[in-house]
Amino acid sequence: MTLNKPHVLLTGGAGYIGSHTYVALVEAGYQPVILDDFSNSHPVVLDRLQHLTGQRVVCERGDVLHTGLVTEVLQRHGCVAAIHFAGLKAVGESVEQPLRYYRTNVGGLVSLLQAMETADCRSVVFSSSATVYGDPAHIPVTEQSPCMPESPYAHTKLVCENILASLKGADPSWRVGVLRYFNPVGAHPSGLIGEDPSGAPNNLMPYVTQVAVGKRAKLRVFGNDYATPDGTGVRDYLHVSDLAEGHVAAVRALLAREQSFTVNLGTGEGTSVLGVLDAFERASGQPIPFEFAPRRAGDVAKYFADVSMAEDLLGWRATRSIDDMCRDSWRWQQNNPDGYRTAGNAPTSPVHSLRAGVASPALTGGVV
Ligand code: NAD
Ligand code: UFG
């Protein structure tokens, strides 16, 4: 019975991290409510979520910039908290289209917060990123490390963090959880949901899986002359299911305590690009052809998180290994070579909503 469960709004809940968080929230006894405009996701994910959770998926189609719609969704479902995933995330694209990034990422957050105020729902978890630290001088990166964003995307995340701090300063009844993700990869172990980039992937893991499945000829390893053990870039890769559980811990902490927090979510361990390739070859049995290429503009040599604050404040720590991440990414890619658009993946159930009322005709949003 979903009526008694605490309802949590997930803006961007049909996307990569949002969909995994949906599953984790259901497993933890919450009722997530997705609000997504499907600008970077596919409705087939809703069928998959229904299959994984064994219950109808609550999803409203709409733009988070539409404050009236967001208010209506929060009120109708009686949401007690929101997790704000909706946004744009490609660093390179943000350099070319800064206004679009500020409008969606910053405008989207302001719109959500205004809606939450109207709906008297003042607990929010925000998807921030380790990219706010820029090129950190000290590793592991703690939450006290200086924030020195280097791209418009990174700036939007820091502006959003500042907006949340201002709001909390003006009205202490707000509870704000800022989560700075390191490098989320992997997929649900079922192989039913995963990362579904459109076009050529920018990020390492989806590129590797597309090489493994034969969609791309070879990986280009950007830089082999960094000051790292094998010369390639080192990152803190984090299984998306661990990240999803981090969101559950954050919501639980916000609802249980008055405290707000800003925490890193990572494993605390760094893996080089060649280390990822080794792990992937072990997990998949597939050789990954690669060549070394020049460094990619804007990349830093090495960073990984200090994760002690997440453990202290949220009681959360990552449990899945790089081998788990590779195995689950590979399963997802094998089962869905073209992501959710893979032939035979047409949505089977047109309506996925437990909505209690009928939306005002003035609203542009609808139920998927
Ligand atoms: P994603 O693109 O898969 O998911 C975002 C979802 O938001 C998509 O389903 C998209 O359709 C939706 N969306 C976009 N604009 C919208 C709007 N105006 N209204 C309603 N819905 C909208 O991305 P993701 O990887 O799941 O990332 C989620 C969040 O986490 C983003 O804010 C991103 O910046 C942040 N983040 C991601 C990473 C990463 O490596 N994936 C790292 C750090 C932070
Ligand atoms: N890499 C390659 N070849 C590729 C892609 C990546 O060698 O085809 C290398 C990069 O040079 C880097 C490492 O793999 O050394 C990881 O690169 P990703 O693009 O996967 O990840 P980034 O660390 O560059 O950035 C990601 C997200 C950002 C986010 C940041 C921190 O793309 O949005 O993690 O969370 F801000």
Side-chain angles (χ1 to χ4, degrees):
M1 186 65 203
T2 66
L3 284 178
N4 299 326
K5 296 181 179 176
H7 283 50
V8 179
L9 181 71
L10 307 189
T11 71
Y16 172 46
I17 301 169
S19 57
H20 290 81
T21 302
Y22 189 100
V23 175
L25 282 165
V26 170
E27 284 170 353
Y30 294 89
Q31 176 57 61
V33 175
I34 294 175
L35 174 73
D36 202 299
D37 68 357
F38 292 87
S39 55
N40 197 38
S41 46
H42 193 284
V44 163
V45 71
L46 304 178
D47 288 327
R48 304 294 178 83
L49 292 176
Q50 179 162 323
H51 186 85
L52 283 171
T53 60
Q55 61 184 52
R56 284 161 69 83
V57 173
V58 185
C59 177
E60 309 271 357
R61 184 172 209 142
D63 189 336
V64 73
L65 284 159
H66 190 331
T67 313
L69 169 68
V70 184
T71 309
E72 207 262 352
V73 169
L74 284 164
Q75 288 174 331
R76 187 150 35 78
H77 293 283
C79 294
V80 294
I83 308 179
H84 185 47
F85 298 105
L88 304 173
K89 62 172 182 175
V91 173
E93 190 180 63
S94 78
V95 176
E96 287 152 21
Q97 304 174 29
L99 294 181
R100 187 168 156 243
Y101 270 69
Y102 277 96
R103 179 170 166 76
T104 303
N105 290 4
V106 177
L109 176 70
V110 172
S111 172
L112 170 67
L113 296 174
Q114 287 178 321
M116 290 178 75
E117 252 184 353
T118 307
D120 199 18
C121 167
R122 289 185 172 77
S123 293
V124 62
V125 175
F126 175 65
S127 292
S128 190
S129 167
T131 195
V132 297
Y133 296 117
D135 189 356
H138 299 289
I139 293 165
V141 184
T142 72
E143 290 80 358
Q144 284 70 47
S145 300
C147 288
M148 293 193 286
E150 292 182 351
S151 67
Y153 167 69
H155 277 283
T156 67
K157 290 294 179 188
L158 190 56
V159 170
C160 286
E161 289 194 15
N162 291 338
I163 288 168
L164 288 162
S166 301
L167 183 61
K168 173 86 188 153
D171 177 355
S173 69
W174 277 91
R175 299 172 193 190
V176 175
V178 172
L179 304 181
R180 293 179 178 156
Y181 314 157
F182 279 64
N183 287 57
V185 297
H188 191 273
S190 64
L192 285 172
I193 56 174
E195 188 170 10
D196 186 17
S198 49
N202 293 313
N203 298 119
L204 179 64
M205 188 64 87
Y207 208 102
V208 169
T209 61
Q210 292 198 4
V211 171
V213 84
K215 286 183 74 176
R216 315 230 165 241
K218 63 170 82 150
L219 175 75
R220 293 195 307 147
V221 175
F222 297 134
N224 62 343
D225 57 353
Y226 286 111
T228 60
D230 63 22
T232 65
V234 168
R235 297 288 183 275
D236 186 340
Y237 297 97
L238 170 70
H239 196 295
V240 66
S241 297
D242 277 325
L243 180 58
E245 289 164 10
H247 288 79
V248 175
V251 167
R252 199 177 274 138
L254 285 184
L255 294 178
R257 295 185 249 128
E258 296 292 316
Q259 210 177 1
S260 292
F261 48 83
T262 296
V263 299
N264 290 336
L265 294 186
T267 61
E269 282 176 31
T271 307
S272 70
V273 177
L274 295 183
V276 171
L277 287 185
D278 273 355
F280 193 86
E281 291 186 352
R282 271 199 309 277
S284 67
Q286 296 288 114
I288 306 296
F290 71 91
E291 64 186 10
F292 290 116
R295 292 180 178 192
R296 187 172 63 176
D299 272 356
V300 306
K302 172 175 176 173
Y303 63 77
F304 51 88
D306 181 317
V307 292
S308 48
M309 194 180 282
E311 187 153 8
D312 292 348
L313 288 182
L314 307 181
W316 171 92
R317 68 178 306 165
T319 60
R320 294 159 179 95
S321 68
I322 190 74
D323 289 355
D324 297 328
M325 301 176 213
C326 291
R327 185 200 60 221
D328 293 336
S329 295
W330 173 231
R331 186 182 296 110
W332 155 252
Q333 181 73 66
Q334 266 187 309
N335 291 354
N336 308 270
D338 293 315
Y340 293 114
R341 289 157 192 82
T342 300
N345 277 356
T348 51
S349 28
V351 175
H352 307 259
S353 179
L354 292 177
R355 62 190 307 180
V358 177
S360 147
L363 300 177
T364 56
V367 180
V368 174

Short mmCIF file of all heavy atoms in Angstrom, two decimals, residues 30-75:
data_model
loop_
_atom_site.label_atom_id
_atom_site.label_comp_id
_atom_site.label_asym_id
_atom_site.label_seq_id
_atom_site.Cartn_x
_atom_site.Cartn_y
_atom_site.Cartn_z
N TYR A 30 10.15 3.70 0.66
CA TYR A 30 9.62 5.00 0.23
C TYR A 30 8.81 4.82 -1.05
O TYR A 30 8.97 3.82 -1.77
CB TYR A 30 10.77 5.98 -0.04
CG TYR A 30 11.55 6.35 1.20
CD1 TYR A 30 12.66 5.59 1.60
CD2 TYR A 30 11.18 7.44 1.98
CE1 TYR A 30 13.38 5.91 2.74
CE2 TYR A 30 11.90 7.76 3.12
CZ TYR A 30 12.99 7.00 3.50
OH TYR A 30 13.69 7.32 4.63
N GLN A 31 7.98 5.80 -1.37
CA GLN A 31 7.30 5.83 -2.65
C GLN A 31 7.87 7.00 -3.48
O GLN A 31 7.53 8.15 -3.25
CB GLN A 31 5.80 6.01 -2.48
CG GLN A 31 5.05 6.14 -3.81
CD GLN A 31 5.28 4.95 -4.73
OE1 GLN A 31 4.95 3.82 -4.40
NE2 GLN A 31 5.88 5.19 -5.90
N PRO A 32 8.74 6.69 -4.43
CA PRO A 32 9.27 7.77 -5.27
C PRO A 32 8.24 8.23 -6.30
O PRO A 32 7.42 7.43 -6.77
CB PRO A 32 10.47 7.13 -5.97
CG PRO A 32 10.55 5.71 -5.51
CD PRO A 32 9.31 5.38 -4.76
N VAL A 33 8.31 9.51 -6.63
CA VAL A 33 7.44 10.11 -7.65
C VAL A 33 8.37 10.78 -8.67
O VAL A 33 9.07 11.73 -8.32
CB VAL A 33 6.51 11.18 -7.01
CG1 VAL A 33 5.69 11.88 -8.08
CG2 VAL A 33 5.61 10.55 -5.94
N ILE A 34 8.37 10.28 -9.89
CA ILE A 34 9.28 10.83 -10.91
C ILE A 34 8.63 12.03 -11.59
O ILE A 34 7.46 11.98 -11.96
CB ILE A 34 9.59 9.76 -11.99
CG1 ILE A 34 10.39 8.61 -11.37
CG2 ILE A 34 10.35 10.38 -13.17
CD1 ILE A 34 10.64 7.44 -12.34
N LEU A 35 9.42 13.09 -11.75
CA LEU A 35 9.04 14.19 -12.65
C LEU A 35 10.17 14.31 -13.66
O LEU A 35 11.31 14.60 -13.27
CB LEU A 35 8.87 15.51 -11.89
CG LEU A 35 8.62 16.71 -12.80
CD1 LEU A 35 7.22 16.69 -13.39
CD2 LEU A 35 8.83 18.02 -12.04
N ASP A 36 9.88 14.08 -14.93
CA ASP A 36 10.94 14.09 -15.94
C ASP A 36 10.34 14.56 -17.26
O ASP A 36 9.20 14.21 -17.58
CB ASP A 36 11.52 12.65 -16.09
CG ASP A 36 12.92 12.64 -16.67
OD1 ASP A 36 13.08 13.11 -17.81
OD2 ASP A 36 13.85 12.16 -15.99
N ASP A 37 11.12 15.32 -18.01
CA ASP A 37 10.62 15.75 -19.33
C ASP A 37 11.11 14.82 -20.44
O ASP A 37 10.83 15.06 -21.61
CB ASP A 37 11.02 17.21 -19.62
CG ASP A 37 12.51 17.39 -19.80
OD1 ASP A 37 13.28 16.41 -19.65
OD2 ASP A 37 12.93 18.54 -20.09
N PHE A 38 11.85 13.80 -20.10
CA PHE A 38 12.36 12.79 -21.04
C PHE A 38 13.25 13.40 -22.13
O PHE A 38 13.39 12.84 -23.21
CB PHE A 38 11.22 11.92 -21.62
CG PHE A 38 10.62 11.05 -20.56
CD1 PHE A 38 9.60 11.52 -19.74
CD2 PHE A 38 11.12 9.78 -20.31
CE1 PHE A 38 9.09 10.75 -18.71
CE2 PHE A 38 10.62 9.00 -19.27
CZ PHE A 38 9.60 9.48 -18.47
N SER A 39 13.87 14.52 -21.81
CA SER A 39 14.79 15.12 -22.78
C SER A 39 16.07 14.29 -22.88
O SER A 39 16.76 14.35 -23.89
CB SER A 39 15.12 16.56 -22.38
OG SER A 39 15.62 16.61 -21.06
N ASN A 40 16.41 13.54 -21.84
CA ASN A 40 17.58 12.67 -21.92
C ASN A 40 17.29 11.30 -21.31
O ASN A 40 18.12 10.71 -20.62
CB ASN A 40 18.79 13.32 -21.21
CG ASN A 40 20.09 12.65 -21.62
OD1 ASN A 40 20.26 12.26 -22.78
ND2 ASN A 40 21.00 12.47 -20.68
N SER A 41 16.09 10.81 -21.56
CA SER A 41 15.73 9.47 -21.07
C SER A 41 14.62 8.93 -21.95
O SER A 41 14.08 9.65 -22.80
CB SER A 41 15.30 9.53 -19.59
OG SER A 41 14.41 10.60 -19.37
N HIS A 42 14.29 7.66 -21.73
CA HIS A 42 13.36 6.97 -22.62
C HIS A 42 12.28 6.30 -21.78
O HIS A 42 12.60 5.67 -20.76
CB HIS A 42 14.14 5.92 -23.42
CG HIS A 42 13.38 5.37 -24.58
ND1 HIS A 42 12.37 4.45 -24.43
CD2 HIS A 42 13.47 5.63 -25.90
CE1 HIS A 42 11.87 4.16 -25.61
NE2 HIS A 42 12.51 4.85 -26.52
N PRO A 43 11.01 6.38 -22.21
CA PRO A 43 9.93 5.81 -21.38
C PRO A 43 10.07 4.31 -21.10
O PRO A 43 9.47 3.83 -20.14
CB PRO A 43 8.67 6.09 -22.20
CG PRO A 43 9.02 7.24 -23.08
CD PRO A 43 10.50 7.14 -23.37
N VAL A 44 10.87 3.58 -21.89
CA VAL A 44 11.04 2.15 -21.60
C VAL A 44 11.59 1.93 -20.19
O VAL A 44 11.30 0.91 -19.56
CB VAL A 44 11.97 1.49 -22.67
CG1 VAL A 44 12.49 0.15 -22.18
CG2 VAL A 44 11.23 1.32 -23.97
N VAL A 45 12.32 2.93 -19.68
CA VAL A 45 12.86 2.77 -18.33
C VAL A 45 11.74 2.54 -17.32
O VAL A 45 11.91 1.84 -16.32
CB VAL A 45 13.73 4.00 -17.93
CG1 VAL A 45 12.89 5.23 -17.69
CG2 VAL A 45 14.57 3.68 -16.69
N LEU A 46 10.55 3.08 -17.60
CA LEU A 46 9.44 2.94 -16.66
C LEU A 46 8.97 1.49 -16.59
O LEU A 46 8.63 0.98 -15.52
CB LEU A 46 8.29 3.87 -17.04
CG LEU A 46 8.68 5.36 -17.14
CD1 LEU A 46 7.49 6.19 -17.58
CD2 LEU A 46 9.23 5.87 -15.80
N ASP A 47 8.95 0.83 -17.75
CA ASP A 47 8.61 -0.61 -17.75
C ASP A 47 9.61 -1.40 -16.92
O ASP A 47 9.25 -2.31 -16.18
CB ASP A 47 8.63 -1.15 -19.18
CG ASP A 47 7.45 -0.67 -19.99
OD1 ASP A 47 6.37 -0.48 -19.41
OD2 ASP A 47 7.62 -0.45 -21.20
N ARG A 48 10.88 -1.02 -17.10
CA ARG A 48 11.93 -1.74 -16.37
C ARG A 48 11.78 -1.51 -14.86
O ARG A 48 11.98 -2.43 -14.06
CB ARG A 48 13.30 -1.27 -16.85
CG ARG A 48 13.53 -1.42 -18.36
CD ARG A 48 13.55 -2.88 -18.77
NE ARG A 48 13.73 -3.06 -20.20
CZ ARG A 48 14.91 -3.05 -20.84
NH1 ARG A 48 16.01 -2.84 -20.18
NH2 ARG A 48 14.95 -3.24 -22.14
N LEU A 49 11.46 -0.29 -14.48
CA LEU A 49 11.30 0.01 -13.05
C LEU A 49 10.10 -0.75 -12.48
O LEU A 49 10.14 -1.25 -11.35
CB LEU A 49 11.15 1.51 -12.82
CG LEU A 49 12.40 2.34 -13.11
CD1 LEU A 49 12.11 3.84 -12.93
CD2 LEU A 49 13.56 1.93 -12.18
N GLN A 50 9.05 -0.83 -13.28
CA GLN A 50 7.87 -1.57 -12.83
C GLN A 50 8.24 -3.03 -12.61
O GLN A 50 7.86 -3.64 -11.61
CB GLN A 50 6.77 -1.43 -13.88
CG GLN A 50 5.51 -2.18 -13.52
CD GLN A 50 4.31 -1.68 -14.31
OE1 GLN A 50 4.19 -0.49 -14.58
NE2 GLN A 50 3.44 -2.59 -14.68
N HIS A 51 8.99 -3.58 -13.56
CA HIS A 51 9.41 -4.98 -13.46
C HIS A 51 10.28 -5.20 -12.21
O HIS A 51 10.08 -6.16 -11.46
CB HIS A 51 10.19 -5.35 -14.72
CG HIS A 51 10.54 -6.79 -14.81
ND1 HIS A 51 9.68 -7.74 -15.31
CD2 HIS A 51 11.66 -7.46 -14.43
CE1 HIS A 51 10.26 -8.93 -15.24
NE2 HIS A 51 11.46 -8.78 -14.72
N LEU A 52 11.23 -4.29 -11.99
CA LEU A 52 12.18 -4.46 -10.88
C LEU A 52 11.52 -4.29 -9.52
O LEU A 52 11.91 -4.94 -8.55
CB LEU A 52 13.32 -3.44 -11.00
CG LEU A 52 14.38 -3.76 -12.05
CD1 LEU A 52 15.33 -2.58 -12.23
CD2 LEU A 52 15.17 -5.00 -11.64
N THR A 53 10.54 -3.39 -9.44
CA THR A 53 9.95 -3.09 -8.13
C THR A 53 8.67 -3.88 -7.88
O THR A 53 8.18 -3.92 -6.75
CB THR A 53 9.63 -1.59 -8.00
OG1 THR A 53 8.69 -1.24 -9.03
CG2 THR A 53 10.88 -0.73 -8.11
N GLY A 54 8.11 -4.44 -8.96
CA GLY A 54 6.86 -5.19 -8.80
C GLY A 54 5.68 -4.29 -8.49
O GLY A 54 4.67 -4.77 -7.97
N GLN A 55 5.79 -3.03 -8.78
CA GLN A 55 4.65 -2.14 -8.56
C GLN A 55 4.59 -1.07 -9.64
O GLN A 55 5.60 -0.78 -10.29
CB GLN A 55 4.73 -1.48 -7.17
CG GLN A 55 5.96 -0.62 -6.96
CD GLN A 55 6.02 -0.07 -5.53
OE1 GLN A 55 5.92 -0.80 -4.56
NE2 GLN A 55 6.19 1.24 -5.41
N ARG A 56 3.42 -0.51 -9.82
CA ARG A 56 3.25 0.52 -10.84
C ARG A 56 4.13 1.72 -10.52
O ARG A 56 4.29 2.08 -9.36
CB ARG A 56 1.79 0.94 -10.92
CG ARG A 56 0.92 -0.08 -11.65
CD ARG A 56 -0.53 0.10 -11.33
NE ARG A 56 -1.07 1.34 -11.90
CZ ARG A 56 -1.49 1.46 -13.16
NH1 ARG A 56 -1.41 0.44 -13.99
NH2 ARG A 56 -1.99 2.59 -13.59
N VAL A 57 4.68 2.29 -11.56
CA VAL A 57 5.61 3.41 -11.39
C VAL A 57 4.83 4.72 -11.40
O VAL A 57 3.94 4.92 -12.22
CB VAL A 57 6.65 3.39 -12.52
CG1 VAL A 57 7.52 4.64 -12.48
CG2 VAL A 57 7.52 2.14 -12.41
N VAL A 58 5.16 5.57 -10.45
CA VAL A 58 4.51 6.88 -10.39
C VAL A 58 5.41 7.87 -11.14
O VAL A 58 6.54 8.11 -10.73
CB VAL A 58 4.33 7.36 -8.94
CG1 VAL A 58 3.54 8.66 -8.91
CG2 VAL A 58 3.64 6.28 -8.12
N CYS A 59 4.90 8.37 -12.25
CA CYS A 59 5.73 9.26 -13.07
C CYS A 59 4.87 10.35 -13.71
O CYS A 59 3.82 10.06 -14.27
CB CYS A 59 6.42 8.46 -14.17
SG CYS A 59 7.39 9.50 -15.27
N GLU A 60 5.34 11.57 -13.58
CA GLU A 60 4.69 12.70 -14.23
C GLU A 60 5.65 13.25 -15.27
O GLU A 60 6.83 13.44 -14.97
CB GLU A 60 4.38 13.81 -13.21
CG GLU A 60 3.64 13.34 -11.98
CD GLU A 60 2.13 13.39 -12.13
OE1 GLU A 60 1.66 13.86 -13.18
OE2 GLU A 60 1.45 12.97 -11.18
N ARG A 61 5.13 13.50 -16.46
CA ARG A 61 5.99 14.05 -17.50
C ARG A 61 5.91 15.57 -17.44
O ARG A 61 4.82 16.14 -17.47
CB ARG A 61 5.49 13.58 -18.87
CG ARG A 61 6.39 14.04 -19.98
CD ARG A 61 6.00 13.40 -21.32
NE ARG A 61 7.17 13.28 -22.15
CZ ARG A 61 7.44 12.27 -22.94
NH1 ARG A 61 6.62 11.26 -23.01
NH2 ARG A 61 8.53 12.25 -23.67
N GLY A 62 7.04 16.23 -17.34
CA GLY A 62 7.00 17.69 -17.32
C GLY A 62 8.37 18.27 -17.06
O GLY A 62 9.33 17.57 -16.70
N ASP A 63 8.43 19.59 -17.24
CA ASP A 63 9.69 20.34 -17.14
C ASP A 63 9.78 20.95 -15.74
O ASP A 63 8.86 21.61 -15.28
CB ASP A 63 9.66 21.45 -18.20
CG ASP A 63 10.98 22.16 -18.34
OD1 ASP A 63 11.78 22.16 -17.39
OD2 ASP A 63 11.21 22.73 -19.43
N VAL A 64 10.91 20.73 -15.09
CA VAL A 64 11.08 21.26 -13.73
C VAL A 64 11.08 22.78 -13.73
O VAL A 64 10.82 23.41 -12.69
CB VAL A 64 12.36 20.68 -13.09
CG1 VAL A 64 13.61 21.30 -13.68
CG2 VAL A 64 12.36 20.83 -11.58
N LEU A 65 11.30 23.39 -14.87
CA LEU A 65 11.24 24.85 -14.94
C LEU A 65 9.80 25.36 -14.83
O LEU A 65 9.58 26.55 -14.63
CB LEU A 65 11.86 25.34 -16.26
CG LEU A 65 13.39 25.31 -16.27
CD1 LEU A 65 13.93 25.30 -17.68
CD2 LEU A 65 13.96 26.49 -15.49
N HIS A 66 8.85 24.48 -14.96
CA HIS A 66 7.44 24.86 -14.88
C HIS A 66 7.01 24.77 -13.40
O HIS A 66 6.53 23.74 -12.92
CB HIS A 66 6.63 23.89 -15.76
CG HIS A 66 5.21 24.30 -15.97
ND1 HIS A 66 4.47 25.03 -15.06
CD2 HIS A 66 4.38 24.07 -17.00
CE1 HIS A 66 3.25 25.21 -15.52
NE2 HIS A 66 3.18 24.64 -16.70
N THR A 67 7.20 25.87 -12.68
CA THR A 67 7.03 25.86 -11.22
C THR A 67 5.61 25.44 -10.82
O THR A 67 5.43 24.71 -9.83
CB THR A 67 7.34 27.27 -10.65
OG1 THR A 67 8.56 27.73 -11.23
CG2 THR A 67 7.47 27.25 -9.15
N GLY A 68 4.62 25.89 -11.58
CA GLY A 68 3.23 25.54 -11.24
C GLY A 68 3.01 24.03 -11.30
O GLY A 68 2.35 23.44 -10.43
N LEU A 69 3.57 23.43 -12.31
CA LEU A 69 3.43 21.98 -12.46
C LEU A 69 4.12 21.25 -11.29
O LEU A 69 3.56 20.33 -10.69
CB LEU A 69 4.06 21.52 -13.78
CG LEU A 69 4.21 20.00 -13.93
CD1 LEU A 69 2.86 19.32 -14.04
CD2 LEU A 69 5.08 19.66 -15.14
N VAL A 70 5.32 21.71 -10.95
CA VAL A 70 6.06 21.03 -9.88
C VAL A 70 5.28 21.16 -8.56
O VAL A 70 5.16 20.20 -7.80
CB VAL A 70 7.49 21.61 -9.74
CG1 VAL A 70 8.28 20.84 -8.69
CG2 VAL A 70 8.24 21.59 -11.07
N THR A 71 4.73 22.35 -8.32
CA THR A 71 3.94 22.56 -7.10
C THR A 71 2.76 21.59 -7.06
O THR A 71 2.49 20.93 -6.04
CB THR A 71 3.40 24.01 -7.05
OG1 THR A 71 4.48 24.91 -7.27
CG2 THR A 71 2.73 24.31 -5.73
N GLU A 72 2.10 21.49 -8.20
CA GLU A 72 0.92 20.64 -8.26
C GLU A 72 1.27 19.18 -8.00
O GLU A 72 0.58 18.47 -7.27
CB GLU A 72 0.28 20.81 -9.65
CG GLU A 72 -1.20 20.55 -9.69
CD GLU A 72 -1.52 19.15 -10.18
OE1 GLU A 72 -0.61 18.41 -10.63
OE2 GLU A 72 -2.69 18.77 -10.09
N VAL A 73 2.41 18.75 -8.57
CA VAL A 73 2.85 17.35 -8.38
C VAL A 73 3.21 17.11 -6.91
O VAL A 73 2.81 16.11 -6.31
CB VAL A 73 4.04 17.04 -9.32
CG1 VAL A 73 4.69 15.71 -8.96
CG2 VAL A 73 3.60 17.05 -10.78
N LEU A 74 3.94 18.05 -6.31
CA LEU A 74 4.32 17.89 -4.90
C LEU A 74 3.08 17.81 -4.01
O LEU A 74 3.01 16.97 -3.09
CB LEU A 74 5.15 19.10 -4.45
CG LEU A 74 6.61 19.18 -4.92
CD1 LEU A 74 7.15 20.60 -4.74
CD2 LEU A 74 7.48 18.18 -4.14
N GLN A 75 2.13 18.68 -4.29
CA GLN A 75 0.94 18.72 -3.43
C GLN A 75 0.08 17.48 -3.63
O GLN A 75 -0.42 16.88 -2.68
CB GLN A 75 0.13 19.99 -3.73
CG GLN A 75 0.82 21.25 -3.19
CD GLN A 75 0.13 22.54 -3.57
OE1 GLN A 75 -0.52 22.61 -4.61
NE2 GLN A 75 0.29 23.57 -2.75
#
